[in-house]
Amino acid sequence: MFKPISTDHAPAAIGPYSQAVDVGNLIFISGQIPLDPVTQSFASEHVKEQTEQVMENIGAILKEAGLTYKHIAKANIYLDNIDDFAVVNEVYASYLSEPYPARAAVEVGKLPKGAKVEIEAIAVKE
């Protein structure tokens, strides 16, 4: 059975989805865009700060599930411009430690609300 995970410390869903779902030993975290959970707006238009906010949102959801960044097994990064890859990669790496999760990073045509980055993750409970 799916158990939704929700926290006020990450942005509310902007559509018909859960922030995350617990399906036993896996937590599926929906794609997070750089919305500030209090204002529901972007804290910055710069990709570095947007990536930091995305990672903070993911961290808040992980915390609500009783997990940390170390529990992430897989992540997908969506960029509106692949030229931002190096900056996003640097910020992303600063939140993680070895062994790093499996990951994909791709450029997409457009992200919700005009975001520059969106990241989704799968975490594993110990």
Side-chain angles (χ1 to χ4, degrees):
M1 193 44 87
F2 298 128
K3 176 185 164 196
I5 297 171
S6 181
T7 176
D8 292 337
H9 300 288
I14 59 173
Y17 61 89
S18 299
Q19 288 174 329
V21 291
D22 180 330
V23 293
N25 70 328
L26 297 176
I27 305 292
F28 291 86
I29 300 172
S30 293
Q32 295 297 302
I33 60 174
L35 292 176
D36 178 289
V38 175
T39 65
Q40 290 291 308
S41 62
F42 295 153
S44 171
E45 291 301 316
H46 300 284
V47 71
K48 180 180 186 292
E49 289 84 6
Q50 285 198 8
T51 307
E52 289 167 350
Q53 184 64 58
V54 166
M55 293 303 292
E56 291 295 321
N57 294 344
I58 289 171
I61 294 167
L62 287 165
K63 184 176 180 180
E64 184 67 23
L67 304 176
T68 68
Y69 296 105
K70 290 184 181 216
H71 293 93
I72 296 173
K74 172 75 166 98
N76 291 325
I77 300 175
Y78 306 99
L79 302 165
D80 81 334
N81 184 342
I82 200 69
D83 292 340
D84 291 332
F85 178 80
V87 172
V88 170
N89 201 45
E90 182 179 328
V91 173
Y92 173 84
S94 74
Y95 283 81
L96 304 167
S97 58
E98 292 188 34
Y100 295 112
R103 186 187 80 187
V106 297
E107 179 180 274
V108 296
K110 203 173 206 184
L111 291 168
K113 295 189 172 271
K116 295 182 181 299
V117 60
E118 179 175 0
I119 302 174
E120 66 178 342
I122 301 169
V124 179
K125 295 180 190 177
E126 294 183 67

